Amino acid sequence: MKRLLTGALLLAAVAAHAQSASYTLADVQVHATAADCWMILNTNKVYNLSPFISMHPGGSGMAAYCGKDGSTAFGNVKHSSNAVALETTYLIGSLVTAPAAISVTLTPTNATLTVGGTAQFTPKIANSSTGVAWTVSPSTLGTISASGMFTALAAGQGTVTAASMQDNTKSASAVITVNSTTTGGGGGSTHPITVAVNPSAMTVNAGSRARFRANVSNSSQGVTWSVSGNIGTIDARGVLTAAMTPATGSVTATSMEDPTKSATVQVTLTAVNCGPEHSDRQTHSRNDD
Ligand code: HEM
């Protein structure tokens, strides 16, 4: 008798547990065969009918609803109250709506600043009421406050990442570029690099050569030379070998130390109406080294 009671209590406990279990539609959908058959019936209840299918008086037709909602199909057959009561035997839990996926976005998605500078990042979190945890990679690049204020500590490139505290597999990152300070400030003694080109404009005979000079301030390094337009080619020393036909274009000197600093001068190639000797003479008169 005692054993019987214990068994009954156990069954009741199992049944109570079964009914409190929650399953999403996705959970049900993976049990979609006659051998492994879960079904939604009564709109929001989940049943494991695997042991019942072979005993079903209505045959194997019900297998079509394994892994699905069979509520309507069950009702359409006008099952007896006996059939309805039988369902309870196979009840395993309730159907719940899957929680909406958490997502994180970050603005801005990139920031460029100088050492000592700050940038504010703002995370947007969908479907979660908890916030984000911040990380800076590499950690030497800077620090970030709980509210997303990044402070640059060293020059370099890296990322700032905000990860959902509820689900840290959901995160967003922004690219950070930290430049070393180039203007005096914060006690720094550096001065901005400037580039100037002499002469500031030039008219050159087509087919001849001409020399440009660059004046670079606050840098121990020189410049790289480039041309724009069909005016010819320029070598590492700033000597332009002009094209054979008249054209207009420009010559640019760019600081090797800071390629954002450059100077450009306009160049006009004019037609030559005398022989090749003239062209030679032009070469010597301009190329004065
Ligand atoms: C959606 C899935 C199901 C379908 C399509 C289905 C279909 C049928 C059909 C066609 C019959 C024969 C009706 C007749 O003889 O007139 C039947 C009978 C029966 N089915 Fe189902 N069935 C389903 C699920 C279930 C479930 C889940 C149970 C119980 C756990 C069940 C229990 C019975 C019983 C006991 C009968 C015998 C007649 C009665 O008592 O109503 N069926 N079913």
Side-chain angles (χ1 to χ4, degrees), residues 39 41 49 52 56-58 62 65 70 73-74 77 79-80 83 86-87:
M39 198 182 292
L41 292 169
L49 296 169
F52 176 72
H56 182 219
M62 66 175 282
Y65 300 92
F74 184 91
V77 176
H79 280 92
S80 66
L86 204 57
E87 290 179 339

Side-chain angles (χ1 to χ4, degrees), residues 113-139:
L113 56 171
T114 48
V115 172
T118 58
Q120 175 69 54
F121 290 94
T122 307
K124 216 170 108 191
I125 312 145
N127 303 315
S128 172
S129 54
T130 55
V132 295
W134 297 96
T135 46
V136 178
S137 172
S139 57

Side-chain angles (χ1 to χ4, degrees), residues 247-286:
T248 55
S250 61
V251 159
T252 299
T254 303
S255 162
M256 288 182 190
E257 187 175 336
D258 180 358
T260 67
K261 301 297 187 312
S262 64
T264 298
V265 296
Q266 297 307 309
V267 176
T268 306
L269 301 192
T270 51
V272 196
N273 39 24
C274 45
E277 310 94 275
H278 181 86
S279 152
D280 275 344
R281 206 150 46 84
Q282 181 74 21
T283 298
H284 295 298
S285 67
R286 293 284 188 183

Side-chain angles (χ1 to χ4, degrees), residues 27-39 47-54 62-63 65-68 92:
D27 293 331
V28 175
Q29 282 169 337
V30 294
H31 303 277
T33 62
D36 175 18
C37 178
W38 286 20
M39 198 182 292
Y47 301 80
N48 179 356
L49 296 169
S50 315
F52 176 72
I53 292 199
S54 58
M62 66 175 282
Y65 300 92
C66 295
K68 299 190 179 114
I92 55 170

Side-chain angles (χ1 to χ4, degrees), residues 147-164:
S147 61
M149 181 65 86
F150 173 81
T151 303
L153 295 182
Q157 222 189 27
T159 53
V160 149
T161 301
S164 161

Side-chain angles (χ1 to χ4, degrees), residues 94-108:
S94 300
L95 183 70
V96 291
T97 315
I102 295 172
S103 67
V104 180
T105 51
L106 206 53
T107 40

Side-chain angles (χ1 to χ4, degrees), residues 82-254:
N82 174 43
V84 173
L86 204 57
E87 290 179 339
T88 319
T89 317
Y90 306 99
L91 181 65
I92 55 170
S94 300
L95 183 70
V96 291
T97 315
I102 295 172
S103 67
V104 180
T105 51
L106 206 53
T107 40
T109 53
N110 59 65
T112 301
L113 56 171
T114 48
V115 172
T118 58
Q120 175 69 54
F121 290 94
T122 307
K124 216 170 108 191
I125 312 145
N127 303 315
S128 172
S129 54
T130 55
V132 295
W134 297 96
T135 46
V136 178
S137 172
S139 57
T140 48
L141 200 62
T143 57
I144 191 156
S145 73
S147 61
M149 181 65 86
F150 173 81
T151 303
L153 295 182
Q157 222 189 27
T159 53
V160 149
T161 301
S164 161
M165 291 207 258
Q166 190 179 329
D167 176 358
N168 68 6
T169 66
K170 302 297 186 305
S171 65
S173 295
V175 174
I176 300 228
T177 305
V178 179
N179 294 319
S180 51
T181 42
T182 49
T183 48
S189 59
T190 49
H191 296 283
I193 293 171
T194 58
V195 179
V197 171
N198 270 316
S200 57
M202 203 190 285
T203 300
V204 184
N205 283 337
S208 71
R209 291 204 283 164
R211 173 139 199 199
F212 293 87
R213 291 183 188 280
N215 205 331
V216 188
S217 309
N218 302 315
S219 172
S220 56
Q221 296 177 35
V223 297
T224 53
W225 292 98
S226 58
V227 297
S228 163
N230 297 321
I231 57 167
T233 57
I234 193 160
D235 70 13
R237 293 178 311 147
V239 176
L240 174 78
T241 301
M244 300 305 290
T245 50
T248 55
S250 61
V251 159
T252 299
T254 303

